[in-house]
């Protein structure tokens, strides 16, 4: 059954578009790109392009289904309709689990960034950030949308500035610089770790790009869901590829891929290479906004998924209640509790409990994306052509290609010693969910 209560339609088109962008551009781009470059070398931007292509295909499938069948639970409902209750239950709880772990992780990451300026215990700063984001989500959906709009805007603005200045630097329009692309091959070749490294590092990138699908959930709380989803997805597809692939390409051209500073903080290293003052402070501020934005949207997403599960009687019934402001307050608080527990785990057992939680969510998002793709493959054939106002490209070939690519990534995770535990723990998490069903 559908939730018996309605969420407040408080999101505008600009909110939904920026929520989609903000979800896709997290701290992973600013921090994770260093790990990617270390793993893949100059070919890191090829990895970004391949991963981006998979994400874009999944987003297009989601957009098709969201326009034809707008729903607050979006892909959990699509999985249920296509494959049965077990699939809807799995997607809903796995996606909720993924995001509440992200909320706890981002709170800790944000506190670590704040420690650059403030000498205070990690747990205390994490607690302050959690309380701030909980308050923002509880107040109203429009306050969440406004907060996310401006914080995501700062991230996007920082990337646009970087792309502009770095392009001038690379093309030789910078004082004391001439055009030079030699870093692409001068330090051990274009594939210093071999061609397989391009594919093994896809696992790193895919988690950095997760989040654009939040737009299909947010659209249900906008005045025109169909228009909101269509515009948001079209915008995200172009910008996602430009921002991720373009940024990583410029980073590997500007600096040697094997530079330790690049691995630690590639964007700070890039601004320092350009000779810009206070680069570390500016980029740390941008990373902080990226973390807060991801924390904010993560809490929003987890609470809405829990709201839908409660409406389906697959979570405690009280979680379906909404406040006078039209937000699912109980679902927000329930999701926040797990975030707080993650902060406590990070303080007490950073290499034990906290590390287990992070690893056990490692492949979860791939399970969710895989079920989304299979759902679209099934539902497309059941949907009245008149309702397909936005269609998946080259159906069913690209849908099948995306499913095969995700299966290949999971196999790659099992083959790699560093990622095998993540896959097995994620399978364990899914097993627990299925037992719960």
């Amino acid at each position: 059954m559908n939730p018996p209560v309605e969420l407040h339609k408080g999101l505008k088109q600009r909110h939904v578009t920026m929520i989609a962008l903000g979800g896709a551009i997290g701290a992973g781009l600013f921090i994770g790109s260093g790990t990617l470059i270390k793993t893949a070398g100059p070919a890191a931007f090829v990895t970004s392009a391949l991963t981006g292509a998979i994400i874009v295909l999944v987003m297009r499938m989601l957009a098709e289904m969201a326009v034809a069948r707008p729903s607050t639970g979006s892909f959990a409902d699509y999985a249920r309709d296509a494959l049965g209750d077990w699939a809807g239950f799995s997607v809903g709880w796995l996606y909720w689990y993924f995001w509440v772990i992200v909320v706890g992780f981002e709170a800790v990451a944000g506190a670590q960034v704040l420690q650059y300026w403030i000498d205070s215990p990690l747990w205390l700063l994490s607690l302050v950030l959690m309380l701030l984001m909980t308050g923002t989500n509880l107040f109203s959906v429009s306050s969440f949308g406004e907060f996310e709009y401006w914080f995501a805007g700062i991230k996007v603005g920082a990337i646009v500035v970087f792309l502009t200045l770095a392009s001038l630097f690379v093309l030789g329009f910078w004082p004391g610089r001439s055009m030079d692309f030699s870093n692409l091959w001068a330090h051990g070749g274009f594939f210093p770790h071999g061609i397989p490294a391009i594919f093994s590092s896809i696992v790193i990138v895919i988690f950095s790009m997760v989040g654009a699908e939040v737009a299909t959930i947010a659209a249900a709380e906008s005045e025109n869901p169909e228009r909101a989803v269509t515009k948001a997805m079209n915008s995200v597809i172009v910008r996602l590829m430009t921002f991720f692939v373009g940024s990583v390409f410029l980073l590997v051209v500007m600096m040697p891929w094997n530079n330790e500073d690049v691995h630690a903080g590639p964007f700070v290293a890039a601004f320092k290479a350009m000779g810009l003052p206070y680069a570390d402070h500016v980029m740390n501020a941008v990373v902080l906004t990226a973390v807060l934005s991801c924390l904010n949207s993560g809490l929003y997403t987890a609470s809405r998924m829990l709201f839908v599960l409660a409406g389906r009687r697959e979570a405690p019934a009280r979680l379906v209640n909404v406040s006078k402001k039209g937000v699912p307050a109980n679902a927000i608080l329930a999701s926040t509790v797990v975030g707080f527990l993650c902060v406590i785990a990070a303080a007490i057992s950073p290499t034990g409990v906290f590390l287990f939680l992070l690893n056990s969510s490692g492949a979860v998002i791939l399970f969710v994306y895989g079920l989304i793709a299979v759902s679209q493959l099934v539902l497309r054939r059941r949907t009245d052509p008149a309702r397909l106002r936005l269609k998946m490209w080259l159906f069913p070939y690209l849908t099948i290609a995306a499913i095969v690519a995700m299966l290949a990534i999971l196999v790659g995770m099992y083959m790699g010693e560093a990622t095998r535990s993540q896959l097995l723990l994620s399978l364990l998490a899914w097993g627990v969910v299925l037992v719960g069903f």
Side-chain angles (χ1 to χ4, degrees):
M1 60 181 283
N2 287 320
V5 287
E6 287 288 324
L7 296 172
H8 180 59
K9 307 274 187 185
L11 295 178
K12 298 181 173 64
Q13 174 63 53
R14 64 185 177 89
H15 291 150
V16 178
T17 300
M18 203 56 89
I19 286 166
L21 261 180
I25 304 167
L29 172 60
F30 298 104
I31 301 168
S33 50
T35 307
L36 169 63
I37 291 168
K38 181 179 181 179
T39 307
F45 71 91
V46 178
T47 302
S48 293
L50 291 172
T51 312
I54 296 170
I55 299 288
V56 163
L57 292 177
V58 173
M59 292 310 106
R60 184 71 182 189
M61 293 178 222
L62 258 180
E64 178 188 284
M65 293 187 289
V67 169
R69 316 159 175 247
S71 161
T72 309
S74 62
F75 38 91
D77 285 344
Y78 307 146
R80 187 186 312 278
D81 293 344
L83 305 170
D85 287 342
W86 71 269
F89 187 90
S90 292
V91 167
W93 278 109
L94 286 174
Y95 198 67
W96 176 83
Y97 178 64
F98 174 80
W99 276 109
V100 291
I101 300 301
V102 167
V103 165
F105 171 76
E106 296 290 349
V108 173
Q112 289 172 335
V113 174
L114 281 175
Q115 282 185 324
Y116 191 79
W117 300 294
I118 303 170
D119 184 15
S120 186
L122 191 71
W123 68 267
L124 181 60
L125 293 173
S126 301
L127 182 63
V128 170
L129 294 180
M130 284 293 298
L131 290 172
L132 176 65
M133 293 302 100
T134 303
T136 302
N137 273 267
L138 284 173
F139 188 72
S140 70
V141 71
S142 56
S143 71
F144 156 76
E146 204 62 37
F147 184 98
E148 190 61 21
Y149 177 80
W150 290 106
F151 267 48
I154 291 171
K155 290 190 290 188
V156 172
I159 296 172
V160 170
V161 169
F162 170 76
L163 289 173
T164 304
L165 296 181
S167 295
L168 293 173
F169 186 85
V170 165
L171 295 173
F173 297 111
W174 200 261
R177 287 285 303 180
S178 58
M179 190 186 298
D180 182 9
F181 288 80
S182 63
N183 280 325
L184 288 175
W185 59 81
H187 307 278
F190 189 64
F191 303 106
H193 299 306
I195 293 177
I198 294 177
F199 302 99
S200 63
S201 53
I202 283 179
V203 179
I204 299 167
V205 187
I206 205 156
F207 304 128
S208 300
M209 292 187 177
V210 167
E213 70 284 345
V214 175
T216 62
I217 297 174
E221 292 180 72
S222 67
E223 294 171 357
N224 188 335
E226 180 185 328
R227 180 171 172 270
V229 167
T230 305
K231 286 196 72 174
M233 285 305 176
N234 287 340
S235 171
V236 166
I237 285 170
V238 174
R239 297 184 201 181
L240 189 71
M241 295 299 278
T242 304
F243 290 163
F244 271 87
V245 182
S247 295
V248 176
F249 174 74
L250 289 169
L251 287 170
V252 295
V253 171
M254 289 175 70
M255 299 167 291
W257 70 271
N258 52 1
N259 184 321
E260 287 298 325
D261 289 340
V262 174
H263 303 161
F267 285 85
V268 172
F271 281 126
K272 282 185 175 179
M274 287 185 263
L276 298 176
Y278 307 111
D280 50 348
H281 291 282
V282 172
M283 279 314 301
N284 263 301
V286 171
V287 170
L288 180 61
T289 60
V291 166
L292 291 179
S293 168
C294 196
L295 202 165
N296 192 36
S297 60
L299 194 52
Y300 168 85
T301 308
S303 64
R304 270 35 176 202
M305 196 56 82
L306 206 52
F307 171 81
V308 171
L309 286 166
R312 296 283 185 182
R313 294 184 179 178
E314 293 173 345
R318 287 186 178 183
L319 297 174
V320 84
N321 296 339
V322 299
S323 68
K324 291 179 181 179
K325 295 278 190 178
V327 297
N330 290 345
I332 291 170
L333 291 172
S335 299
T336 305
V337 166
V338 181
F340 282 122
L341 291 175
C342 286
V343 170
I344 294 168
I348 297 172
S349 180
T351 58
V353 178
F354 190 59
L355 188 64
F356 168 80
L357 289 171
L358 285 180
N359 282 340
S360 64
S361 65
V364 160
I365 200 65
L366 281 170
F367 299 157
V368 172
Y369 279 1
L371 287 170
I372 288 171
V374 174
S375 300
Q376 190 265 340
L377 193 63
V378 173
L379 290 179
R380 173 66 175 264
R381 293 184 168 93
R382 295 184 191 167
T383 305
D384 180 357
R387 294 173 64 186
L388 292 170
R389 292 179 289 276
L390 187 150
K391 295 182 179 181
M392 175 61 184
W393 307 298
L394 295 176
F395 179 83
Y397 307 108
L398 287 182
T399 298
I400 294 169
I403 293 169
V404 170
M406 285 183 276
L407 287 173
I409 294 170
L410 291 172
V411 171
M413 287 185 74
Y414 182 77
M415 299 297 286
E417 290 184 17
T419 52
R420 185 178 300 147
S421 63
Q422 289 186 26
L423 176 62
L424 296 177
L425 287 171
S426 296
L427 285 168
L428 174 63
W430 195 358
V432 170
V433 167
L434 290 174
V435 168
F437 174 74

